[in-house]
Structures are given as structure tokens and as C-alpha cells.
């Protein structure tokens, strides 16, 4: 088999890149080690920046997102029993975010790919990129007991944090930057109306909590938990009690509870690999970087990577020039580090860090107090939350 761009990974990064390439007449094949249902069973992001919404429109798969997605003009921070609303729309001169689940967005991209004749090979095991240092890279994989080979011009590593692409460059000068946080998020998805029409990020002495949503009938809630906790140890009732205990009383009494559809614990991590290019192999999305979910930036960063890489690929195929691909890593990393900084700072602001002691706690409280009264501080938070320009 031969294609122009071999894409490893059929998450949002791989699917968005594949669709932009297909739309531009550039041949591509996507490989994933699991199948469609497995990918759609992963409950992840919910908040889309305008840049991500625009990119979905460019893929041609954005129609349902506009119909069912919920535009949000603001969100609230709760601490010391009071709420501060960050009016994103007013503070950024009219910008907003869109609440639309990653599961739905991924399904839309998969359906559009199938409808436009894109090739995806699911359940491909042992996927391996080869010879990307030279001029003739190829990818091998196994399916149904047979080894296959795809020759290509370039390889896009869109295979997430535990993928094979970054693992393949560990001895090629890649530098890893990492910070691991001493807690995780226990998330619960339920078909109950959200407690509030906007998101609430709560800093409470019992730990962080987040009230999010997927639609007017489906809520997504999170609470900070120690890394030693296991999801089996959390009944639905225990989750609802803990969530309510961390919210201001007038909000807590409005929480509508119900049986969980999904419940899971995710560890929190900041991670960046540099550079993002190794000859003819390019790292994209979670394969290259991870942010703690507090700033809602992971999926949105995948979108900006795809944007920069697609520009380079378009130039490569239409003008036979490497210049866009040559600057991909540098351009993407500048935006990645700003999102890393924001996600880290929002994580440090909103969680409880028992090891930081009383001084750390006082500094956090004073930063929250400053935020509640300073338009400048709120503007900086709003500007980052809606997403910095590409
Ligand atoms: P993905 O989605 O992990 O997809 C990678 C794909 O690659 C496949 N794969 C392989 N295929 C072949 N061979 C191999 N060896 C392979 N290894 C892996 C996998 O099966 C998979 O299908 O990466 P991608 O596409 O870069 O997308 C990144 C996003 O999924 C991620 O950044 C976000 O979900 C992060 N995130 C959030 N981002 C936001 O922008 N806003 C949010 O509100 C937000 N909330 C979240 C989040 C992530 C969370 N978790 C659980 C990590 C909330 C949570 C709880
Ligand atoms: C979510 O809805 O899953 C979500 C929303 C905002 C975040 C993180 C996760 O910051």
C-alpha cells in the first residue's frame, strides 16, 4: 500500500488532520490500535475554543456541533463560599467558548470521514513507524495475523500520550519536560440537568470540584481525589455528597442527582516533548503534550497543532516547499507552552495542596481575592480561557 501521509491515531488530532488533507486532495490513511466504539467510549473534553470550532467547520463536520453545542459567555470561580463570574465575552471583546463533548465531535469526524471516502484501519496492532530519518518512510502493522506495510511521504504521530510515535524518538534527541500533580480527578457523567447554565470551578477546603455539562440534560462533574483512591471505592451517592459539600450552599441545594453513566479517575500531569519533528515524523496533540484538564486546553491544543501542521503539509504538496514543515515545531511549541503555563497556573490556583503548608494556602487565597476584584486579572484569565490566537 502507498499513501501520501500516514496518520497514526484516530482521536480528534488524527481525524481532524485526515479530513483537512482529504478535503485538500491529499491522500492519507489513518491507523488505530482499537476500534470506533472503544474510542467513542472514552469520556473526555467538553469545552471548545473558537479556533477549534473554526477548524471543525473547515473539516466540513461542524454542522451538528453548531446545532447541539452550547455557546458559553462566562464561567464562575467559587471559593470561601462566594462566586466570582469571569465574563469572558465582555472581557475579551466578544469571544466565547462552545460546550460540546469530545465524544460527539469525534463521532462527527468519523462519520464525515466515512462519507467522504477516507480510509481508517481500526484494530491495527503493532503499528510501527520506520525510516522517518530518510527519504522513504513507511509504517508497518498487523491485522488478522498478517503484517502490512504502508509506504508514505510523511508520518503524523497523532497517537496520544501512550502511543508508539513519541516512544520511537526517545533515542533521537527528544527532550521531555514533565510535572506530575499529587492528585487526580474523579469524573461522573449523568443524565441530569446541569446545576448551573455555566461552568463552576470550585476551590474548597475539602478539595477542588468542577460542575460541567454536555447538554441541557447531561451533566459532567469532577472532584479532586487522592491518587490512592480507586473508582470502585466511590459509590454514586458518595460522589454526589462530596460534590455538594464542595459547592456554595445555594448551589449545592440545586444539584440534581441521578445514576452515573460513566465514572473514572484521571491523574493530572503537565508534559511537553521537544521538538515535534523528527525528519519525516511529526508529533501532534497528546502524543506531544499533556495539560492538566483545569484550563480545558488539551483538545484545543490538538486543534492548533493540526492547524500549523496542515499549513505546512499544504505548502509541501502544492508548492513542493519544506518551509512550513520546517517551522511547524517552533510555531506549535510557542502556543503549547502558553497553554501549559495557563493550565498549570489554574491548577495551582484551584486545587488543595496539603504539602504546600499554611503559607501556600494563604498565597492561593490572596490570589483568588485579587482575581475577584481586579478587572486586569480577570481579563488575563478570560483571554487565556477563550484561547490565544493561532
Ligand atoms: P487521543 O484522543 O488520545 O487519541 C489518540 C489515538 O491514538 C490511538 N493509539 C494508537 N494507534 C495505533 N497504534 C498505537 N500504538 C496507538 N497508541 C494510541 C488511540 O487508540 C487513540 O484513538 O489523542 P489526540 O487525538 O491528540 O486528542 C487529545 C485529546 O483527547 C485530549 O487532549 C483531551 O481529551 C484533553 N481533555 C480536555 N481537553 C480540552 O480541550 N477541553 C477539556 O475540557 C478537556 N477535558 C481532557 C478533559 C482529558 C481528560 N482525560 C481523561 C485525559 C477531561 C479529562 C477527564
Ligand atoms: C469537561 O466538561 O469534561 C471539562 C470541562 C472543563 C474543564 C475540564 C473538563 O476544564
Amino acid at each position: 500500500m502507498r499513501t501520501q501521509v500516514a496518520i497514526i491515531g484516530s482521536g480528534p488530532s488524527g481525524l481532524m488532520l485526515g479530513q483537512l488533507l482529504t478535503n485538500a486532495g491529499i491522500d492519507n490513511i489513518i491507523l488505530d490500535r482499537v476500534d470506533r466504539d472503544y474510542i467513542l467510549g472514552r469520556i473526555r473534553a467538553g469545552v471548545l475554543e473558537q479556533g477549534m470550532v473554526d477548524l471543525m467547520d473547515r473539516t466540513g463536520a461542524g454542522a451538528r456541533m453548531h446545532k447541539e453545542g452550547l455557546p458559553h459567555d462566562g464561567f464562575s470561580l467559587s471559593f470561601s463560599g462566594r462566586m466570582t463570574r469571569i465574563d469572558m465575552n465582555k472581557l475579551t471583546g466578544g469571544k466565547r467558548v462552545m460546550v460540546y463533548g469530545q465524544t460527539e465531535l469525534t463521532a462527527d469526524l468519523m462519520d464525515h470521514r466515512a462519507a467522504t471516502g477516507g480510509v481508517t484501519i481500526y484494530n491495527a496492532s503493532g503499528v510501527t513507524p520506520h525510516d522517518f530519518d530518510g527519504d522513504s518512510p513507511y509504517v508497518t502493522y498487523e491485522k488478522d495475523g498478517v503484517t502490512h506495510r504502508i509506504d508514505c511521504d510523511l508520518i503524523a504521530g497523532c497517537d496520544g500520550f501512550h502511543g508508539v510515535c513519541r516512544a520511537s524518538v526517545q533515542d533521537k534527541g527528544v527532550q521531555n519536560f514533565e510535572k506530575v500533580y499529587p492528585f487526580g480527578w474523579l469524573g461522573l457523567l449523568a443524565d441530569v440537568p446541569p446545576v448551573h447554565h455555566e461552568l463552576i470551578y470550585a476551590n474548597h477546603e475539602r478539595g477542588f470540584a468542577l460542575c460541567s455539562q454536555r447538554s441541557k440534560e447531561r451533566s459532567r462533574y469532577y472532584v479532586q481525589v487522592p491518587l490512592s483512591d480507586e473508582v470502585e471505592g466511590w459509590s454514586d451517592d458518595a460522589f454526589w455528597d462530596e460534590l455538594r459539600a464542595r459547592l456554595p450552599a445555594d448551589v449545592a441545594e440545586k444539584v440534581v442527582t441521578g445514576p452515573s453513566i460513566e465514572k473514572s479517575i484521571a491523574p493530572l500531569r503537565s508534559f511537553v516533548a521537544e521538538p515535534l519533528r523528527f525528519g519525516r515524523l511529526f508529533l501532534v496533540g497528546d502524543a506531544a503534550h499533556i495539560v492538566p484538564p483545569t484550563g480545558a486546553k488539551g483538545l484545543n491544543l490538538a486543534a492548533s497543532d493540526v492547524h500549523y501542521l496542515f499549513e505546512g503539509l499544504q505548502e509541501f504538496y502544492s508548492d513542493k516547499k519544506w518551509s512550513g514543515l520546517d517551522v511547524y515545531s517552533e510555531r506549535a511549541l510557542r502556543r503549547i507552552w502558553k497553554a501549559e503555563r495557563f493550565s498549570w497556573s489554574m491548577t495551582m490556583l484551584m486545587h488543595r495542596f496539603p504539602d504546600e503548608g499554611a503559607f501556600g494556602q494563604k498565597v492561593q487565597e490572596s490570589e483568588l481575592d485579587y482575581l475577584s476584584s481586579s478587572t486586569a486579572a480577570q481579563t488575563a484569565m478570560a483571554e487565556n480561557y477563550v484561547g490565544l490566537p493561532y
Side-chain angles (χ1 to χ4, degrees):
M1 256 186 291
R2 182 170 169 87
T3 191
Q4 289 174 299
V5 183
I7 300 174
I8 305 182
S10 178
S13 304
L15 288 163
M16 285 189 289
L17 181 65
Q19 198 59 47
L20 294 174
L21 292 173
T22 300
N23 295 353
I26 301 167
D27 216 27
N28 62 93
I29 294 177
I30 299 183
L31 292 160
D32 204 292
R33 70 171 165 205
V34 296
D35 65 11
R36 180 189 157 106
D37 289 347
Y38 187 96
I39 294 168
L40 294 179
R42 295 192 284 232
I43 307 298
R44 289 187 170 178
V47 177
L48 313 183
E49 296 172 353
Q50 187 60 46
M52 169 92 208
V53 170
D54 294 344
L55 200 72
M56 278 299 281
D57 285 336
R58 279 176 74 190
T59 66
R64 191 164 70 108
M65 172 188 70
H66 284 292
K67 212 163 94 208
E68 296 178 14
L70 305 170
H72 280 210
D73 287 342
F75 63 91
S76 293
L77 303 176
S78 137
F79 61 98
S80 306
R82 56 193 165 119
M83 296 248 277
T84 298
R85 180 168 184 267
I86 307 294
D87 189 336
M88 291 185 278
N89 198 259
K90 194 164 130 211
L91 293 163
T92 63
K95 294 191 180 142
R96 44 173 48 167
V97 295
M98 170 89 87
V99 169
Y100 188 65
Q102 178 170 333
T103 312
E104 308 308 322
L105 178 140
T106 307
D108 295 346
L109 286 163
M110 286 174 165
D111 290 346
H112 194 56
R113 182 164 179 86
T116 52
V119 178
T120 305
I121 300 166
Y122 292 115
N123 293 320
S125 57
V127 176
T128 313
H130 301 270
D131 289 2
F132 44 84
D133 284 342
D135 291 338
S136 311
Y138 63 98
V139 177
T140 54
Y141 66 97
E142 273 170 47
K143 182 146 181 164
D144 304 326
V146 181
T147 302
H148 301 266
R149 169 177 170 140
I150 304 176
D151 290 286
C152 55
D153 302 328
L154 303 157
I155 301 171
C158 302
D159 51 348
F161 187 63
H162 299 289
V164 64
C165 291
R166 199 181 68 257
S168 308
V169 298
Q170 285 311 313
D171 60 350
K172 295 186 191 296
V174 69
Q175 245 191 306
N176 298 326
F177 300 86
E178 183 168 41
K179 178 175 174 65
V180 176
Y181 301 87
F183 43 73
W185 278 18
L186 168 65
L188 179 144
L189 187 71
D191 277 334
V192 291
V195 65
H196 191 59
H197 67 286
E198 292 177 346
L199 271 61
I200 301 173
Y201 292 83
N203 179 323
H204 188 271
E205 62 191 22
R206 297 178 67 91
F208 170 79
L210 169 59
C211 306
S212 183
Q213 52 192 264
R214 290 291 177 272
S215 67
K216 292 200 158 48
E217 298 83 35
R218 183 168 282 191
S219 302
R220 179 70 164 158
Y221 293 108
Y222 298 94
V223 292
Q224 171 185 352
V225 292
L227 280 172
S228 52
D229 276 19
E230 289 182 12
V231 71
E232 293 75 24
W234 278 91
S235 66
D236 287 1
D237 285 345
F239 180 92
W240 292 117
D241 286 346
E242 191 58 46
L243 175 73
R244 281 186 293 225
R246 296 181 186 192
L247 299 174
D250 56 328
V251 178
E253 72 186 21
K254 288 197 216 114
V255 171
V256 182
T257 64
S260 60
I261 309 170
E262 193 262 3
K263 215 163 37 184
S264 52
I265 295 180
L268 266 68
R269 181 194 305 272
S270 296
F271 176 89
V272 183
E274 293 193 11
L276 305 181
R277 176 185 171 193
F278 298 84
R280 287 174 180 251
L281 170 70
F282 299 85
L283 300 178
V284 183
D286 276 16
H289 43 75
I290 294 290
V291 284
T294 327
K297 289 283 162 260
L299 176 59
N300 293 302
L301 269 187
S304 53
D305 289 0
V306 166
H307 166 86
Y308 295 129
L309 183 58
F310 176 64
E311 281 197 344
L313 290 169
Q314 239 182 340
E315 208 177 283
F316 180 77
Y317 284 108
S318 59
D319 307 337
K320 312 252 172 311
K321 278 203 227 145
W322 280 96
S323 43
L325 292 176
D326 285 342
V327 293
Y328 164 69
S329 181
E330 193 193 321
R331 287 179 80 194
L333 279 165
R334 284 187 73 186
R335 190 170 191 278
I336 289 162
W337 274 112
K338 292 191 186 98
E340 289 283 346
R341 186 211 64 79
F342 175 64
S343 305
W344 163 82
S345 74
M346 207 162 153
T347 302
M348 300 303 287
L349 181 69
M350 297 309 295
H351 292 77
R352 287 291 158 143
F353 291 83
D355 295 347
E356 296 294 315
F359 184 84
Q361 183 58 33
K362 284 283 182 191
V363 169
Q364 195 190 57
E365 283 165 20
S366 101
E367 191 174 345
L368 283 163
D369 193 27
Y370 172 55
L371 246 173
S372 69
S373 59
S374 160
T375 309
Q378 290 183 15
T379 304
M381 177 169 267
E383 182 181 47
N384 280 278
Y385 196 89
V386 298
L388 298 175
Y390 288 10

